[in-house]
């Protein structure tokens, strides 16, 4: 465990220290696209945060290869090299997309090629464990197709959810933490060396996200861009593929006894194995809903819109930070709830706790719909948003102030987003992006011109 923690800390430190210079590099190269209609930020923000995350990945793998307890992962398995090869390719495509805005089909092809590169080097699904049936061996073509599909789905699920400051990095970090605990339990508890690569990948992924989050929390000073979102999505998929297709279920000794006993014993163990995407259930649900919504409206599945889950949270009245925390809450509930059930499936307390937390999550989700108002005697003890509004007839609004307010509203409606580096305003945008960022964000409804 100490070696894994050391690898995590080194990865986080390298990612954190490199994000600042990468931000300056992104500003210097003009990797600050104009604000789009679906964006929620109000000023051009540099991308290319994936550069720092990729070098954090390289540092983590380099340190792990020199540790006594983890060096055997590189000697007995080719999976770390396969991961690095696929990650380098998808990261390079992401960097080009952050700078030049590549076509969606080009990125989709690059994702499939990256998955194919990992398959060619041994990182693929060899068999699937099915409760009540046993281990089902897959042919080479079946394993390749399943691996490519899993990589593409995971990458796009993470990419789709990357719409708010700190959202994608935090949700992937939560998923990686749950997956790390599960993989470490199989590696250490069952002494199965085949689970060591997945445990290492999850630890490095946590370090990448933790190192980048301080720069990406609201208000974000840099975005990870597609170079970061596709990278962490690929690593998360590689972890799931490694432990699903490489770990022999017979080594877990769960098929002993009667068929009913074996099925009952195998079910909690196979939940994270057969359904590894449960740890990113929220991004995957967002991906499926986006495809259905766009296809139903006659649009391309790759067309961008403002119908994602985080956009809907903003529309019903949640603030930026609260929407991110709610998404964190549901991701942690699903990931760690599945992990707890896989360990102690016979405990009814786990089900009751998950149900209670789900009810709490629904209350938090619908909180803006029910804005409580404190009684008059308690208004001095609660925040202003919970106080009753009073309209005093004896204090009319001055005509001059009303006219000034109307003029300000008209001016706000006429303003349009300005591209980074536009002629005549490059100095203002450049100073805003490089210097201090105001923490008092615009309170207007997301999607209106700033």
């Amino acid at each position: 465990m100490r070696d894994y923690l050391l690898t995590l800390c080194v990865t986080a430190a390298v990612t954190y220290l490199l994000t600042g210079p990468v931000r300056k590099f992104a500003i210097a190269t003009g990797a600050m696209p104009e604000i789009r209609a679906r964006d929620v930020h109000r000023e051009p923000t540099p991308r290319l945060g994936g550069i720092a995350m990729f070098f954090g990945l390289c540092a983590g793998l380099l340190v792990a290869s020199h540790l006594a307890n983890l060096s055997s992962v590189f000697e007995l398995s080719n999976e770390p090299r396969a991961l690095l090869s696929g990650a380098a390719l998808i990261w390079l495509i992401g960097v080009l997309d952050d700078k030049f805005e590549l076509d969606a089909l080009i990125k989709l092809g690059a994702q499939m090629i990256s998955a194919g590169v990992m398959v060619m080097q041994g990182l693929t699904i060899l068999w699937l464990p099915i409760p009540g049936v046993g281990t089902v061996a897959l042919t080479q073509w079946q394993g390749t197709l399943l691996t490519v599909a899993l990589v593409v789905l995971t990458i796009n699920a993470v990419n789709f959810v990357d719409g708010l400051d700190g959202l994608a990095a935090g949700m992937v970090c939560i998923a990686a933490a749950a997956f790390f605990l599960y993989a470490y339990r199989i590696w250490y508890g069952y002494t199965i060396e085949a689970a060591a690569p997945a445990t290492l990948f999850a630890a490095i992924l946590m370090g990448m996200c933790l190192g980048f989050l301080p720069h990406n929390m609201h208000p974000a000073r840099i975005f990870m861009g597609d170079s970061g979102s596709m990278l962490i999505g690929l690593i998360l998929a590689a972890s799931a593929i490694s432990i699903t297709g490489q770990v022999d279920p017979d080594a877990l000794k769960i098929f002993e006894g009667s068929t009913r006993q074996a099925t009952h014993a195998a079910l909690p163990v196979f939940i994270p194995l057969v359904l590894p995407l449960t740890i990113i259930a929220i991004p995957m649900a967002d991906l499926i809903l986006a495809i259905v919504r766009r296809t139903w409206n006659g649009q391309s599945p790759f067309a961008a819109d403002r119908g994602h889950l985080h956009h809907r949270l903003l529309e019903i009245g949640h603030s930026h930070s609260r929407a991110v925390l709610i998404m964190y809450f549901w991701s942690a509930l699903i990931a760690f709830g599945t992990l707890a059930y896989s360990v102690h499936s016979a405990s009814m307390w786990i089900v009751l706790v998950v149900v209670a937390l789900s009810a709490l999550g629904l209350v938090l989700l619908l909180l803006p719909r029910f804005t409580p108002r404190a009684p008059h005697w308690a208004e001095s003890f609660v925040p202003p948003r919970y106080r009753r509004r009073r309209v005093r007839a004896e204090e009319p609004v001055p005509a001059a102030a009303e006219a000034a307010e109307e003029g300000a509203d008209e001016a706000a409606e006429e303003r349009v987003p300005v591209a980074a580096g536009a002629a005549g305003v490059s100095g203002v945008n450049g100073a805003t992006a490089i210097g201090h960022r105001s923490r008092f964000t615009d309170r207007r409804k997301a999607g209106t011109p700033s």
Side-chain angles (χ1 to χ4, degrees), residues 6-251:
L6 176 61
T7 303
L8 186 153
C9 292
V10 170
T11 304
V14 171
T15 304
Y16 176 80
L17 294 176
L18 288 181
T19 303
V22 167
R23 178 177 179 273
K24 296 180 180 179
F25 171 77
I27 295 174
T29 56
M32 298 170 57
E34 62 181 11
I35 299 177
R36 299 161 296 186
R38 67 178 187 272
D39 293 333
V40 297
H41 56 282
R42 287 288 163 255
E43 56 188 57
T45 305
R47 295 184 180 179
L48 295 179
I51 295 179
M53 303 178 80
F54 177 76
F55 283 104
L57 168 65
C58 296
L61 291 175
L62 180 62
V63 170
S65 64
H66 290 82
L67 296 178
N69 295 326
L70 298 181
S71 59
S72 60
V73 177
F74 297 83
E75 297 172 357
L76 303 177
S77 174
N78 198 42
E79 294 183 14
R81 300 176 184 85
L83 172 67
L84 186 59
S85 301
L89 178 58
I90 200 68
W91 168 75
L92 180 60
I93 297 298
V95 170
L96 295 177
D97 179 68
D98 290 340
K99 174 60 179 176
F100 302 107
E101 293 286 343
L102 301 180
D103 186 74
L105 293 178
I106 296 179
K107 293 189 291 184
L108 179 62
Q111 295 168 9
M112 299 176 66
I113 294 175
S114 300
V117 169
M118 294 193 299
V119 169
M120 292 175 59
Q121 301 186 57
L123 186 55
T124 182
I125 298 177
L126 301 177
W127 50 65
L128 283 179
I130 301 178
V133 177
T135 303
V136 177
L138 301 178
T139 64
Q140 181 179 1
W141 282 106
Q142 290 174 342
T144 300
L145 292 177
L146 187 58
T147 302
V148 172
L150 183 61
V151 170
V152 172
L153 285 175
T154 308
I155 289 176
N156 286 280
V158 175
N159 193 18
F160 275 31
V161 83
D162 185 22
L164 297 179
D165 297 350
L167 182 58
M171 293 182 67
V172 172
C173 184
I174 293 172
F179 206 90
F180 171 80
L181 294 176
Y182 179 78
Y184 183 80
R185 174 173 174 264
I186 294 181
W187 174 71
Y188 183 78
Y190 292 92
T191 64
I192 298 178
E193 292 295 333
T199 311
L200 176 62
F201 298 162
I204 292 177
L205 183 57
M206 277 194 294
M208 295 167 59
C209 296
L210 290 175
F212 184 73
L213 268 176
H215 300 273
N216 191 234
M217 293 302 292
H218 184 70
R221 295 179 61 83
I222 186 174
F223 295 151
M224 67 173 65
D226 283 359
S227 59
S229 61
M230 293 197 299
L231 175 64
I232 60 178
L234 181 135
I235 299 175
L236 186 59
S239 303
I241 292 170
S242 176
I243 203 169
T244 302
Q246 304 294 328
V247 174
D248 187 1
D250 294 334

Side-chain angles (χ1 to χ4, degrees), residues 428-446:
V428 176
N429 288 323
T432 305
I434 298 177
H436 177 70
R437 299 277 301 278
S438 174
R439 300 189 67 86
F440 297 95
T441 56
D442 196 345
R443 305 294 295 180
R444 287 174 295 180
K445 184 177 180 181

